[in-house]
């Protein structure tokens, strides 16, 4: 029933990496929204503490991904098999995915260095774009190039591929039209966040402002 995924070290490494990445991004966002030296200093220390486990788990996941076995789906028969360094071969054969993944990792590393040692206010922008790039590259890697994006470790032939998981023509057409709504949602999110971050939070606002936090 998919519960075997809980014992998979690759899944655990990725899950813990995402957990600490969420904490890192949250700290960077707070630093970009607060104008208070004492809080900024405490955020920097917390950022350093959370960056270390994030890097450990993320690099462990990348090592599993690159040097371990991957779930390859035969394009003709649909048969799924374990192939050593399958994802590494995919990365090397698709320069676009490789570039996206590498650029994303570099941006995240720059954000950590920027946040811990330099100006913390700018770190969230590097981290945000870098995270999106890495996630998109992993999506392409999992679903593109004859791979199973939802593998089963107990029954390989039950692993899901894009072909197996594709819906009917009607459903896909409906999803195609619905996807046009996404740009409007992104614009709304950008406007809302811009309004929230227009003025940074200060100690005076926290104590004397009309809206107490």
């Amino acid at each position: 029933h998919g519960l075997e995924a809980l014992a998979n070290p690759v899944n655990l490494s990725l899950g813990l990496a995402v957990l600490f990445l969420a904490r890192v991004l949250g700290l960077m966002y707070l630093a970009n929204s607060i104008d208070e030296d004492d809080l900024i200093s405490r955020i920097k220390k917390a950022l350093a503490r959370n960056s270390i486990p994030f890097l450990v788990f993320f690099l462990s996941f990348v090592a599993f991904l690159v040097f371990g076995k991957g779930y390859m789906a035969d394009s003709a028969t649909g048969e799924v098999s374990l192939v050593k360094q399958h994802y590494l071969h995919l990365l090397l054969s698709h320069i676009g995915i490789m570039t996206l993944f590498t650029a994303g990792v570099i941006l995240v590393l720059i954000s950590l260095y920027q946040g811990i040692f330099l100006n913390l206010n700018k770190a969230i922008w590097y981290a945000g774009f870098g995270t999106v790039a890495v996630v998109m590259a992993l999506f392409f890697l999992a679903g593109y190039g004859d791979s199973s994006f939802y593998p089963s470790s107990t029954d390989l032939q039950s692993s899901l591929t894009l072909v197996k998981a594709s819906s009917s023509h009607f459903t896909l057409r409906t999803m195609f039209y619905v996807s046009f709504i996404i740009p409007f949602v992104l614009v709304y999110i950008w406007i809302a966040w811009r309004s929230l971050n227009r003025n940074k939070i200060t100690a005076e606002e926290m104590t004397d402002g009309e809206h107490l936090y």
Side-chain angles (χ1 to χ4, degrees):
H1 300 291
L3 295 178
E4 72 278 359
L6 295 174
N8 190 319
V10 182
N11 294 338
L12 293 176
S13 297
L14 178 59
L16 290 170
V18 171
L19 169 65
F20 285 102
L21 176 61
R23 295 172 65 90
V24 165
L25 293 175
L27 289 166
M28 290 179 177
Y29 173 75
L30 287 175
N32 195 51
S33 306
I34 294 174
D35 185 14
E36 188 64 35
D37 292 338
D38 180 57
L39 285 176
I40 294 296
S41 177
R42 292 166 60 185
I43 288 174
K44 274 197 172 188
K45 294 177 181 178
L47 180 61
R49 290 196 302 269
N50 285 275
S51 296
I52 295 174
F54 161 69
L55 289 174
V56 170
F57 290 118
F58 178 72
L59 292 177
S60 299
F61 168 73
V62 172
F64 281 127
L65 191 73
V66 172
F67 299 110
K69 294 182 178 180
Y71 294 84
M72 187 183 76
D74 189 280
S75 57
T77 64
E79 182 180 357
V80 178
S81 57
L82 283 172
V83 177
K84 190 174 182 179
Q85 297 181 347
H86 172 60
Y87 299 117
L88 175 60
H89 296 151
L90 281 180
L91 277 174
L92 295 177
S93 60
H94 293 85
I95 188 64
I97 301 177
M98 183 68 172
T99 303
L100 192 64
F101 182 79
T102 304
V105 170
I106 292 174
L107 285 174
V108 172
L109 293 177
I110 290 175
S111 74
L112 295 178
Y113 179 80
Q114 181 92 7
I116 297 173
F117 300 106
L118 301 176
N119 186 1
L120 186 55
N121 291 339
K122 305 297 182 182
I124 185 62
W125 296 106
Y126 294 102
F129 287 113
T131 299
V132 171
V134 171
V135 170
M136 292 304 299
L138 291 177
F139 277 145
F140 293 144
L141 198 62
Y144 190 68
D146 300 330
S147 293
S148 168
F149 70 88
Y150 196 164
S152 172
S153 58
T154 57
D155 181 11
L156 285 180
Q157 305 317 313
S158 296
S159 302
L160 290 180
T161 63
L162 286 181
V163 174
K164 290 182 180 179
S166 294
S167 302
S168 65
H169 182 267
F170 171 78
T171 303
L172 292 175
R173 185 177 59 187
T174 303
M175 293 173 62
F176 171 76
Y177 289 122
V178 170
S179 64
F180 281 107
I181 302 175
I182 294 177
F184 298 100
V185 175
L186 293 177
V187 170
Y188 168 77
I189 293 174
W190 178 79
I191 293 174
W193 276 46
R194 185 171 180 271
S195 299
L196 287 172
N197 295 330
R198 185 171 298 161
N199 298 315
K200 291 191 175 184
I201 301 172
T202 62
E204 290 75 14
E205 182 184 1
M206 293 284 287
T207 55
D208 303 330
E210 181 180 355
H211 302 288
L212 298 180
Y213 296 87

